[in-house]
Amino acid sequence: MSRIYNFSAGPATLPEEVLKQAQDELLDWHGAGMSVMEMSHRGKEFMSIAAQAEADLREVMAIPDNYKVLFLQGGASTQFAMVPMNLMGRTGKADYINTGTWSKKAIAEAKRYGEVNVIADTAADFRAPAQADLSFSSDAAYVHYTPNETIQGVEFPYVPDTGDIPLVADMSSTILSRPIDVSKFGIIYAGAQKNIGPAGLTLVIIREDLIGDAPESCPAMMNYQIHADAGSMYNTPPTYAWYLSGLVFKWLKDNGGLEAMAVINERKAEELYATVDASDFYANPVDPECRSWMNVPFTLADPELDGKFLEEAAAKGMKSLKGHRSVGGMRASIYNAMPEEGVQALIEFMKEFEKNNA
Amino acid sequence: MSRIYNFSAGPATLPEEVLKQAQDELLDWHGAGMSVMEMSHRGKEFMSIAAQAEADLREVMAIPDNYKVLFLQGGASTQFAMVPMNLMGRTGKADYINTGTWSKKAIAEAKRYGEVNVIADTAADFRAPAQADLSFSSDAAYVHYTPNETIQGVEFPYVPDTGDIPLVADMSSTILSRPIDVSKFGIIYAGAQKNIGPAGLTLVIIREDLIGDAPESCPAMMNYQIHADAGSMYNTPPTYAWYLSGLVFKWLKDNGGLEAMAVINERKAEELYATVDASDFYANPVDPECRSWMNVPFTLADPELDGKFLEEAAAKGMKSLKGHRSVGGMRASIYNAMPEEGVQALIEFMKEFEKNNA
């Protein structure tokens, strides 16, 4: 067996140690005589797995006690609707910041449920707006933003200060990449398939005072209160994805936590951007202050060479480097589970490819 | 490693061959150098896995061409809302049949979206209503029923004839247990965690003419049209659960399909009910015509012995036999993946336990 370096934006590469443990335990978890995916979600074995995963996540992210952690389904796309369905009714309106593809999707969905004020729009500029350029509606029920745009590779270099207005963040592609101060947020949500675990699980970290305002028309499965009251077991949760995410949280603890991840992630990103910047053969359009640590898009000066680049990279065991069709070029997603050796291999290949094709 | 016999109602036991294949391929699927759970859902590897799973399911269930098969998230509980959100608007009302716990939940959820007529209610009687006792509202947008009540162990011995009104069925705990005529249904939906695969995947089989009526207020993720148009990839689907379900569909094909399953399932159920009926020590409250093939609840004449029964069964490697708290006693769920040997072991234990404790 030979594992490749997989630069997919999500579902994405997972830590090999985690996969090996999952493989070892697949038919028989800790002598239970069954696979985790065969366990009743209300049985003592799975309840212990679920509780340990939550405890480890709380420790790794230093989540304050007045926040609930929900293990849900449906991805960030479901949260695009759940957030306004649960919160918009407080004032009938909300502020949104538009920095790219995923912000736009969140905005389009929110418009079904109330008045959406786009208070800043830098989606065409490959940058985040500055704090000084943000002026919030005094009666906004919340402010929504996308700390990291997976497709454009644009990241906020700061957490917006929204005063007393709850801040809601789609952290799908940046959660766990470094320490964050959870207390600055009203809601953090994230699809699992990037830095957490397999697709099919969605994490929601929600401040308790924001729970309980859903209208009667809200489906039970879209109501934060129902999930919070049921400990994410109102119905059968995605148990196997929950378990695997727990293994990832444990792996983070064993590897120095988010402080250690931040050091490595910053180094991986800086070295890759330095390679892009050092040459006219490659380019990245993003404001250097707002470059993503997780998703590094870059173009070749001659797009005719794109196919050759991808083919030769694949032959060297580096895959899923094709950029999103809306942006073109390449994209290297370098989440926590992408080892530094993978980034070094990519850099080496980029230099060699340039030498042979410039 | 020793595998137990796991009688859980769901998540439930899976075929050992399927788990072994998943284990073999966990770190490297067919030489791709990555796990299925690490694959981009839009990459050629996962697209082939997804397409094969759908093709195999279509073959196994003989699904007509004018039905879409959707691989979604959220469980049957999400379908309780999606069905009325998408269909109720056609006439503003729908007919529901109440046969137990899951029917009731579907009814409660549907009431948010229009007028719900409960046209038959046998929930307290441990039986399904007869066709002759069903009279449908001429302007019902659809008729909803629960072919198998997982908790009560009550199964419809026939498919209701609703004339031109679309029939919607929550088949979570009966799908794939025998051949069914899909053309009799407007929508069939099922959570995966019983007869399909791991929790976190929900199958929806929907006749094409029922797609496209969702109102503007419907969240994108709750709109059948959006999922149908996107081939279930509007957002990232639960890829690993989809893959494992595909392995189960393949296992069904390799083991004689649904005709063979029906023969085995009927035999397993009959032998278990015969054991219950042959003794005053055990009892099952369900009308013999309506007894579930999949979920066999039974009580001990002396409930004081329940704990001892469960303990001794567990010591012999038979677990998750405790009945649902709303019904009490025991429940043996004997889905496709429960081997006949497991049912025989349970029967033998029941006889022995009776002998020692009667």
Side-chain angles (χ1 to χ4, degrees):
Chain A
M1 192 211 62
S2 79
R3 300 254 308 159
I4 58 154
Y5 291 123
N6 170 15
F7 294 93
S8 172
T13 193
L14 288 164
E16 194 167 337
E17 299 93 308
V18 164
L19 294 174
K20 282 190 171 146
Q21 183 174 348
Q23 184 176 46
D24 283 347
E25 310 182 330
L26 200 127
L27 276 91
D28 182 14
W29 181 84
H30 296 198
M34 55 184 154
S35 176
V36 172
M37 61 183 104
E38 301 176 298
M39 291 175 181
S40 168
H41 54 298
R42 302 194 193 278
K44 68 178 191 315
E45 290 97 345
F46 186 75
M47 291 297 279
S48 77
I49 290 169
Q52 189 64 52
E54 181 178 338
D56 286 343
L57 178 68
R58 283 186 174 275
E59 181 183 333
V60 163
M61 287 187 70
I63 299 172
D65 287 345
N66 62 325
Y67 286 74
K68 295 281 190 198
V69 177
L70 309 179
F71 291 79
L72 306 181
Q73 299 185 53
S77 295
T78 297
Q79 293 308 308
F80 295 166
M82 265 177 94
V83 167
M85 285 175 109
N86 282 265
L87 266 57
M88 190 92 96
R90 297 177 144 222
T91 66
K93 57 184 70 169
D95 287 352
Y96 276 72
I97 301 173
N98 182 12
T99 48
T101 304
W102 292 105
S103 298
K104 281 197 192 88
K105 290 200 179 212
I107 290 165
E109 193 69 21
K111 284 181 177 168
R112 299 183 204 277
Y113 311 102
E115 187 185 324
V116 172
N117 301 311
V118 178
I119 57 157
D121 188 338
T122 56
D125 309 335
F126 289 95
R127 65 175 180 86
Q131 172 80 47
D133 294 333
L134 301 176
S135 79
F136 306 106
S137 313
S138 59
D139 57 348
Y142 60 89
V143 177
H144 181 281
Y145 86 121
T146 312
N148 184 73
E149 287 282 358
T150 322
I151 290 174
Q152 283 76 22
V154 171
E155 195 171 273
F156 271 76
Y158 66 98
V159 176
D161 181 353
T162 55
D164 289 338
I165 311 173
L167 179 61
V168 178
D170 173 2
M171 285 208 187
S172 296
S173 53
T174 187
I175 194 167
L176 302 177
S177 66
R178 77 206 74 183
I180 56 154
D181 181 351
V182 174
S183 72
K184 291 183 174 172
F185 296 86
I187 300 178
I188 291 166
Y189 63 84
Q193 66 272 14
K194 294 150 194 297
N195 249 345
I196 298 171
L201 175 73
T202 310
L203 274 187
V204 176
I205 302 167
I206 181 168
R207 215 174 60 208
E208 286 171 349
D209 63 291
L210 298 175
I211 297 173
D213 290 329
E216 187 52 38
S217 61
C218 184
M221 285 293 291
M222 307 281 276
N223 187 328
Y224 289 130
Q225 171 116 50
I226 285 177
H227 291 295
D229 289 351
S232 305
M233 297 211 187
Y234 171 69
N235 74 335
T236 312
T239 49
Y240 198 66
W242 192 330
Y243 152 75
L244 270 157
S245 300
L247 297 185
V248 171
F249 303 150
K250 175 77 164 46
W251 175 83
L252 287 170
K253 281 175 61 176
D254 291 346
N255 285 274
L258 301 189
E259 290 78 7
M261 290 298 131
V263 171
I264 298 168
N265 286 329
E266 184 172 25
R267 192 162 58 212
K268 288 191 299 189
E270 280 189 352
E271 290 175 357
L272 194 44
Y273 287 117
T275 305
V276 168
D277 289 344
S279 140
D280 291 333
F281 192 81
Y282 300 109
N284 168 283
V286 180
D287 178 343
E289 289 294 301
C290 303
R291 282 172 163 178
S292 169
W293 284 7
M294 295 284 102
N295 312 100
V296 181
F298 60 92
T299 50
L300 276 57
D302 178 4
E304 296 283 316
L305 289 171
D306 283 2
K308 193 179 178 197
F309 182 95
L310 289 166
E311 204 174 292
E312 292 184 13
K316 288 179 182 294
M318 288 171 277
K319 290 193 182 168
S320 301
L321 279 162
K322 193 174 181 180
H324 192 271
R325 61 189 181 282
S326 62
V327 173
M330 308 296 149
R331 175 175 49 176
S333 292
I334 50 175
Y335 299 114
N336 288 341
M338 170 58 64
E340 295 199 79
E341 297 72 33
V343 175
Q344 287 308 324
L346 175 59
I347 289 171
E348 210 169 293
F349 167 70
M350 286 170 71
K351 289 180 176 168
E352 184 191 310
F353 187 82
E354 178 179 357
K355 201 169 65 186
N356 295 341
N357 294 279
Chain B
M1 192 211 59
S2 81
R3 300 255 306 159
I4 58 154
Y5 291 122
N6 171 13
F7 293 93
S8 172
T13 194
L14 288 165
E16 194 167 337
E17 299 93 308
V18 163
L19 294 175
K20 283 192 171 144
Q21 183 174 347
Q23 184 176 46
D24 284 347
E25 311 183 328
L26 200 127
L27 276 91
D28 183 13
W29 181 83
H30 297 198
M34 56 184 153
S35 176
V36 172
M37 61 183 103
E38 301 177 298
M39 292 177 181
S40 167
H41 54 299
R42 301 194 193 280
K44 68 177 191 315
E45 290 95 346
F46 186 75
M47 291 297 279
S48 76
I49 290 169
Q52 189 64 52
E54 180 176 339
D56 286 343
L57 178 69
R58 283 186 174 276
E59 182 183 333
V60 163
M61 287 187 70
I63 299 172
D65 287 344
N66 63 326
Y67 286 74
K68 296 281 190 197
V69 177
L70 309 180
F71 291 79
L72 305 180
Q73 300 184 53
S77 294
T78 297
Q79 294 307 307
F80 294 166
M82 264 176 95
V83 167
M85 284 175 110
N86 281 265
L87 266 58
M88 191 92 95
R90 297 177 143 221
T91 66
K93 58 184 69 168
D95 286 353
Y96 277 71
I97 301 172
N98 181 12
T99 48
T101 305
W102 291 105
S103 299
K104 281 196 191 90
K105 290 200 178 213
I107 289 165
E109 193 69 21
K111 285 181 176 169
R112 299 183 204 277
Y113 312 103
E115 187 184 325
V116 171
N117 302 311
V118 178
I119 58 157
D121 188 337
T122 56
D125 310 333
F126 289 95
R127 65 174 181 86
Q131 173 79 48
D133 295 332
L134 301 175
S135 80
F136 306 106
S137 312
S138 58
D139 57 349
Y142 60 89
V143 177
H144 181 282
Y145 85 121
T146 311
N148 184 74
E149 288 282 358
T150 322
I151 290 175
Q152 283 75 22
V154 171
E155 194 171 273
F156 271 76
Y158 66 98
V159 176
D161 181 353
T162 54
D164 290 338
I165 311 173
L167 179 61
V168 178
D170 173 3
M171 286 208 186
S172 295
S173 53
T174 186
I175 194 167
L176 300 177
S177 67
R178 76 206 74 185
I180 55 153
D181 182 352
V182 174
S183 72
K184 290 183 175 172
F185 297 86
I187 300 179
I188 292 166
Y189 62 85
Q193 67 273 13
K194 293 149 195 297
N195 249 344
I196 296 171
L201 175 73
T202 311
L203 273 186
V204 176
I205 303 168
I206 180 168
R207 216 175 59 209
E208 285 172 349
D209 63 290
L210 298 175
I211 297 173
D213 290 330
E216 186 53 37
S217 61
C218 184
M221 285 293 292
M222 307 280 277
N223 188 328
Y224 290 129
Q225 171 117 49
I226 284 177
H227 291 295
D229 289 351
S232 304
M233 298 212 187
Y234 171 68
N235 73 335
T236 311
T239 49
Y240 198 66
W242 192 330
Y243 151 77
L244 270 157
S245 300
L247 297 185
V248 171
F249 303 150
K250 174 77 164 45
W251 175 83
L252 288 170
K253 281 175 62 175
D254 291 347
N255 285 276
L258 301 188
E259 289 78 6
M261 289 300 130
V263 172
I264 298 168
N265 286 329
E266 184 172 24
R267 192 162 57 212
K268 288 191 298 188
E270 280 187 352
E271 291 174 357
L272 194 44
Y273 286 117
T275 305
V276 169
D277 290 344
S279 139
D280 292 332
F281 192 81
Y282 301 110
N284 168 284
V286 180
D287 178 343
E289 290 294 301
C290 303
R291 283 172 163 179
S292 170
W293 284 8
M294 296 284 101
N295 312 100
V296 181
F298 59 93
T299 49
L300 276 58
D302 178 5
E304 296 282 317
L305 289 171
D306 284 1
K308 192 178 181 199
F309 183 95
L310 289 167
E311 205 175 292
E312 292 184 13
K316 289 180 181 292
M318 287 171 279
K319 290 193 182 168
S320 301
L321 279 163
K322 192 173 182 180
H324 192 272
R325 62 190 180 280
S326 63
V327 173
M330 309 297 151
R331 175 175 50 175
S333 292
I334 50 174
Y335 299 115
N336 288 340
M338 172 57 66
E340 295 198 80
E341 296 73 32
V343 176
Q344 286 310 322
L346 175 59
I347 289 171
E348 210 168 291
F349 167 70
M350 287 170 69
K351 290 180 176 168
E352 185 190 310
F353 187 84
E354 178 180 357
K355 202 169 64 187
N356 295 340
N357 296 278

